[in-house]
PDB file of all heavy atoms in Angstrom:
ATOM      1  N   ALA G   9      -4.409  12.599  -5.871  1.00  0.00           N
ATOM      2  CA  ALA G   9      -5.856  12.448  -5.695  1.00  0.00           C
ATOM      3  C   ALA G   9      -6.083  12.067  -4.231  1.00  0.00           C
ATOM      4  O   ALA G   9      -5.288  11.335  -3.647  1.00  0.00           O
ATOM      5  CB  ALA G   9      -6.396  11.362  -6.620  1.00  0.00           C
ATOM      6  N   PRO G  10      -7.142  12.577  -3.620  1.00  0.00           N
ATOM      7  CA  PRO G  10      -7.378  12.253  -2.200  1.00  0.00           C
ATOM      8  C   PRO G  10      -7.546  10.747  -1.972  1.00  0.00           C
ATOM      9  O   PRO G  10      -8.102  10.045  -2.806  1.00  0.00           O
ATOM     10  CB  PRO G  10      -8.673  12.989  -1.871  1.00  0.00           C
ATOM     11  CG  PRO G  10      -8.796  14.048  -2.906  1.00  0.00           C
ATOM     12  CD  PRO G  10      -8.132  13.501  -4.140  1.00  0.00           C
ATOM     13  N   ILE G  11      -7.053  10.285  -0.844  1.00  0.00           N
ATOM     14  CA  ILE G  11      -7.235   8.901  -0.413  1.00  0.00           C
ATOM     15  C   ILE G  11      -8.157   8.943   0.798  1.00  0.00           C
ATOM     16  O   ILE G  11      -7.888   9.690   1.741  1.00  0.00           O
ATOM     17  CB  ILE G  11      -5.898   8.261  -0.009  1.00  0.00           C
ATOM     18  CG1 ILE G  11      -4.959   8.176  -1.194  1.00  0.00           C
ATOM     19  CG2 ILE G  11      -6.113   6.890   0.603  1.00  0.00           C
ATOM     20  CD1 ILE G  11      -3.566   7.694  -0.823  1.00  0.00           C
ATOM     21  N   GLU G  12      -9.218   8.171   0.776  1.00  0.00           N
ATOM     22  CA  GLU G  12     -10.143   8.117   1.909  1.00  0.00           C
ATOM     23  C   GLU G  12     -10.262   6.669   2.362  1.00  0.00           C
ATOM     24  O   GLU G  12     -10.562   5.778   1.570  1.00  0.00           O
ATOM     25  CB  GLU G  12     -11.510   8.662   1.521  1.00  0.00           C
ATOM     26  CG  GLU G  12     -12.488   8.623   2.656  1.00  0.00           C
ATOM     27  CD  GLU G  12     -13.097   9.979   2.952  1.00  0.00           C
ATOM     28  OE1 GLU G  12     -12.952  10.885   2.143  1.00  0.00           O
ATOM     29  OE2 GLU G  12     -13.710  10.086   4.019  1.00  0.00           O
ATOM     30  N   LEU G  13      -9.990   6.436   3.637  1.00  0.00           N
ATOM     31  CA  LEU G  13     -10.071   5.107   4.221  1.00  0.00           C
ATOM     32  C   LEU G  13     -11.067   5.120   5.376  1.00  0.00           C
ATOM     33  O   LEU G  13     -11.199   6.131   6.067  1.00  0.00           O
ATOM     34  CB  LEU G  13      -8.705   4.670   4.751  1.00  0.00           C
ATOM     35  CG  LEU G  13      -7.531   4.680   3.771  1.00  0.00           C
ATOM     36  CD1 LEU G  13      -6.244   4.349   4.499  1.00  0.00           C
ATOM     37  CD2 LEU G  13      -7.771   3.714   2.641  1.00  0.00           C
ATOM     38  N   VAL G  14     -11.757   3.993   5.568  1.00  0.00           N
ATOM     39  CA  VAL G  14     -12.674   3.867   6.704  1.00  0.00           C
ATOM     40  C   VAL G  14     -12.428   2.535   7.398  1.00  0.00           C
ATOM     41  O   VAL G  14     -12.028   1.549   6.767  1.00  0.00           O
ATOM     42  CB  VAL G  14     -14.165   3.965   6.287  1.00  0.00           C
ATOM     43  CG1 VAL G  14     -14.487   5.345   5.778  1.00  0.00           C
ATOM     44  CG2 VAL G  14     -14.528   2.918   5.272  1.00  0.00           C
ATOM     45  N   ALA G  15     -12.653   2.522   8.699  1.00  0.00           N
ATOM     46  CA  ALA G  15     -12.547   1.297   9.499  1.00  0.00           C
ATOM     47  C   ALA G  15     -13.836   1.186  10.303  1.00  0.00           C
ATOM     48  O   ALA G  15     -14.192   2.096  11.045  1.00  0.00           O
ATOM     49  CB  ALA G  15     -11.340   1.351  10.427  1.00  0.00           C
ATOM     50  N   ARG G  16     -14.536   0.050  10.134  1.00  0.00           N
ATOM     51  CA  ARG G  16     -15.794  -0.160  10.851  1.00  0.00           C
ATOM     52  C   ARG G  16     -15.766  -1.528  11.524  1.00  0.00           C
ATOM     53  O   ARG G  16     -15.460  -2.526  10.894  1.00  0.00           O
ATOM     54  CB  ARG G  16     -16.978  -0.129   9.891  1.00  0.00           C
ATOM     55  CG  ARG G  16     -17.282   1.208   9.323  1.00  0.00           C
ATOM     56  CD  ARG G  16     -18.573   1.159   8.502  1.00  0.00           C
ATOM     57  NE  ARG G  16     -18.855   2.441   7.926  1.00  0.00           N
ATOM     58  CZ  ARG G  16     -18.660   2.748   6.658  1.00  0.00           C
ATOM     59  NH1 ARG G  16     -18.199   1.845   5.834  1.00  0.00           N
ATOM     60  NH2 ARG G  16     -18.927   3.946   6.216  1.00  0.00           N
ATOM     61  N   ASN G  17     -16.107  -1.535  12.787  1.00  0.00           N
ATOM     62  CA  ASN G  17     -16.268  -2.770  13.535  1.00  0.00           C
ATOM     63  C   ASN G  17     -17.326  -2.500  14.605  1.00  0.00           C
ATOM     64  O   ASN G  17     -17.004  -2.064  15.711  1.00  0.00           O
ATOM     65  CB  ASN G  17     -14.949  -3.213  14.168  1.00  0.00           C
ATOM     66  CG  ASN G  17     -15.058  -4.562  14.842  1.00  0.00           C
ATOM     67  OD1 ASN G  17     -16.149  -5.033  15.159  1.00  0.00           O
ATOM     68  ND2 ASN G  17     -13.923  -5.190  15.068  1.00  0.00           N
ATOM     69  N   PRO G  18     -18.624  -2.740  14.273  1.00  0.00           N
ATOM     70  CA  PRO G  18     -19.693  -2.433  15.221  1.00  0.00           C
ATOM     71  C   PRO G  18     -19.545  -3.161  16.557  1.00  0.00           C
ATOM     72  O   PRO G  18     -19.893  -2.611  17.602  1.00  0.00           O
ATOM     73  CB  PRO G  18     -20.959  -2.877  14.493  1.00  0.00           C
ATOM     74  CG  PRO G  18     -20.586  -2.870  13.048  1.00  0.00           C
ATOM     75  CD  PRO G  18     -19.124  -3.211  13.001  1.00  0.00           C
ATOM     76  N   ALA G  19     -19.012  -4.375  16.541  1.00  0.00           N
ATOM     77  CA  ALA G  19     -18.871  -5.142  17.782  1.00  0.00           C
ATOM     78  C   ALA G  19     -17.924  -4.432  18.760  1.00  0.00           C
ATOM     79  O   ALA G  19     -18.101  -4.526  19.975  1.00  0.00           O
ATOM     80  CB  ALA G  19     -18.352  -6.541  17.478  1.00  0.00           C
ATOM     81  N   ARG G  20     -16.944  -3.731  18.233  1.00  0.00           N
ATOM     82  CA  ARG G  20     -15.976  -3.022  19.079  1.00  0.00           C
ATOM     83  C   ARG G  20     -16.264  -1.524  19.182  1.00  0.00           C
ATOM     84  O   ARG G  20     -15.554  -0.796  19.847  1.00  0.00           O
ATOM     85  CB  ARG G  20     -14.567  -3.220  18.528  1.00  0.00           C
ATOM     86  CG  ARG G  20     -14.132  -4.681  18.581  1.00  0.00           C
ATOM     87  CD  ARG G  20     -12.726  -4.794  18.128  1.00  0.00           C
ATOM     88  NE  ARG G  20     -11.876  -4.131  19.119  1.00  0.00           N
ATOM     89  CZ  ARG G  20     -10.724  -4.595  19.534  1.00  0.00           C
ATOM     90  NH1 ARG G  20     -10.276  -5.715  19.042  1.00  0.00           N
ATOM     91  NH2 ARG G  20     -10.010  -3.944  20.411  1.00  0.00           N
ATOM     92  N   GLY G  21     -17.303  -1.058  18.478  1.00  0.00           N
ATOM     93  CA  GLY G  21     -17.626   0.368  18.499  1.00  0.00           C
ATOM     94  C   GLY G  21     -16.648   1.217  17.723  1.00  0.00           C
ATOM     95  O   GLY G  21     -16.459   2.393  18.029  1.00  0.00           O
ATOM     96  N   VAL G  22     -16.039   0.646  16.693  1.00  0.00           N
ATOM     97  CA  VAL G  22     -15.048   1.359  15.891  1.00  0.00           C
ATOM     98  C   VAL G  22     -15.716   1.849  14.606  1.00  0.00           C
ATOM     99  O   VAL G  22     -16.202   1.052  13.809  1.00  0.00           O
ATOM    100  CB  VAL G  22     -13.847   0.446  15.542  1.00  0.00           C
ATOM    101  CG1 VAL G  22     -12.884   1.149  14.593  1.00  0.00           C
ATOM    102  CG2 VAL G  22     -13.136   0.008  16.803  1.00  0.00           C
ATOM    103  N   TYR G  23     -15.754   3.161  14.442  1.00  0.00           N
ATOM    104  CA  TYR G  23     -16.278   3.799  13.230  1.00  0.00           C
ATOM    105  C   TYR G  23     -15.344   4.968  12.922  1.00  0.00           C
ATOM    106  O   TYR G  23     -15.584   6.091  13.328  1.00  0.00           O
ATOM    107  CB  TYR G  23     -17.699   4.322  13.450  1.00  0.00           C
ATOM    108  CG  TYR G  23     -18.684   3.244  13.798  1.00  0.00           C
ATOM    109  CD1 TYR G  23     -18.974   2.942  15.123  1.00  0.00           C
ATOM    110  CD2 TYR G  23     -19.309   2.517  12.800  1.00  0.00           C
ATOM    111  CE1 TYR G  23     -19.873   1.946  15.446  1.00  0.00           C
ATOM    112  CE2 TYR G  23     -20.223   1.511  13.111  1.00  0.00           C
ATOM    113  CZ  TYR G  23     -20.490   1.237  14.427  1.00  0.00           C
ATOM    114  OH  TYR G  23     -21.368   0.238  14.736  1.00  0.00           O
TER     115      TYR G  23
END
Side-chain angles (χ1 to χ4, degrees):
I11 296 174
E12 180 125 13
L13 304 175
V14 294
R16 290 186 181 104
N17 185 341
R20 296 184 67 139
V22 174
Y23 299 94

